Amino acid sequence: MVNKPKGITSHDVVDVVRKKLKIRKVGHAGTLDPLAEGLLIVLVGGYTRLFPKFVKFDKKYFGVLKLGEVTRTGDSQSEVIKSSSYENVSEQAIREAFSLFEGDIEQIPPMVSALRVKGQRLYNLARRGIEVDRKPRSIKIHSLEVSNINLPYVEFCVHCSKGTYVRKLAEDIGAKIGVGAHMVKILRLGIGPFELDKAVDLDNINENHLQKITL
């Protein structure tokens, strides 16, 4: 289990682990893009066959969204395409909006996701300025709790099912409030029974951190 830092891709982490451990067969179980940080499970050798078992696990995140700005990618790593005043947004309105997204909901995957449409990754299409229709997906938000409000920033924790896009969740919450929003921080705290506090910093990875997994 690796504590992925902000600013690199999950594939970058795999490359580092491969070089450090001198193991060719290495993969990760659950992508974190450059903005996101936190728990990334890396599988090596024969354990890479366990990847399908990790897909089904729920996930937990800590996040910070910024109200009043909508960006092209739903996060702070792209340009703002729409701005709105958040000054009259109340704490009650924020908490009520968050509560509407708990339980079983439908979510449309963002264009910057890694899903394939007709054989092409959505994020590749997005980079070329192409937007295609995406079908809503059924997901479950087990819990969604606001932990701090310091406008325009809202901190929250979410426990969600597989297939949940935290960026899209933030965008939808911002739209519900009426001023838009995007993510400025995403920290993955858990994947199923695996938790971030047991993860190792990437710079410190060595053979002693290899673990046997039974699922």
Side-chain angles (χ1 to χ4, degrees):
M1 296 185 289
V2 176
N3 182 3
K4 174 195 168 297
K6 180 179 177 181
I8 64 174
T9 69
S10 297
H11 292 296
D12 292 334
V13 173
V14 168
D15 287 341
V16 171
V17 172
R18 183 180 288 120
K19 292 175 182 177
K20 280 179 170 285
L21 301 185
K22 295 180 174 57
I23 298 177
R24 184 173 182 180
K25 196 171 184 180
V26 181
H28 64 80
T31 302
L32 287 176
D33 60 27
L35 173 74
E37 52 193 314
L39 180 60
L40 182 70
I41 294 177
V42 177
L43 305 174
V44 303
Y47 284 94
T48 54
R49 71 180 186 278
L50 297 178
F51 172 77
K53 293 183 179 292
F54 285 90
V55 174
K56 64 182 180 181
F57 286 140
D58 292 343
K59 297 179 177 65
K60 295 179 180 179
Y61 297 91
F62 167 78
V64 181
L65 63 79
K66 183 179 182 180
L67 292 174
E69 293 180 348
V70 177
T71 68
R72 184 175 57 81
T73 58
D75 60 44
S76 57
Q77 296 191 319
S78 66
E79 68 274 14
V80 175
I81 58 176
K82 183 179 179 181
S83 297
S84 303
S85 175
Y86 57 82
E87 293 178 357
N88 294 323
V89 176
S90 67
E91 180 175 328
Q92 180 180 353
I94 293 171
R95 294 186 182 278
E96 287 179 352
F98 269 79
S99 69
L100 295 175
F101 290 88
E102 287 189 305
D104 297 307
I105 65 173
E106 296 286 305
Q107 186 182 68
I108 298 175
M111 277 300 302
V112 293
S113 69
L115 289 178
R116 292 182 183 274
V117 172
K118 295 182 179 179
Q120 297 192 66
R121 298 283 189 185
L122 286 178
Y123 60 73
N124 285 330
L125 294 174
R127 288 170 182 166
R128 289 153 49 196
I130 300 173
E131 183 167 349
V132 297
D133 290 333
R134 289 95 68 201
K135 294 182 179 179
R137 296 170 54 162
S138 296
I139 60 171
K140 185 164 187 174
I141 305 298
H142 300 288
S143 65
L144 181 59
E145 300 178 358
V146 174
S147 56
N148 188 49
I149 299 174
N150 183 21
L151 292 178
Y153 301 101
V154 181
E155 299 178 3
F156 65 93
C157 290
V158 59
H159 176 195
C160 54
S161 68
K162 65 176 184 179
T164 300
Y165 292 95
V166 181
R167 278 175 186 72
K168 191 62 170 63
L169 185 62
E171 288 183 312
D172 292 343
I173 290 171
K176 184 65 67 175
I177 294 172
V179 298
H182 68 272
M183 293 298 299
V184 297
K185 181 180 180 67
I186 301 174
L187 175 66
R188 187 153 65 192
L189 302 173
I191 302 175
F194 304 96
E195 298 182 348
L196 177 59
D197 61 4
K198 302 294 194 302
V200 180
D201 289 342
L202 187 58
D203 290 341
N204 298 329
I205 287 291
N206 59 58
E207 293 181 355
N208 294 326
H209 296 121
L210 292 174
Q211 301 177 33
K212 294 183 177 180
I213 298 176
T214 302
L215 297 174

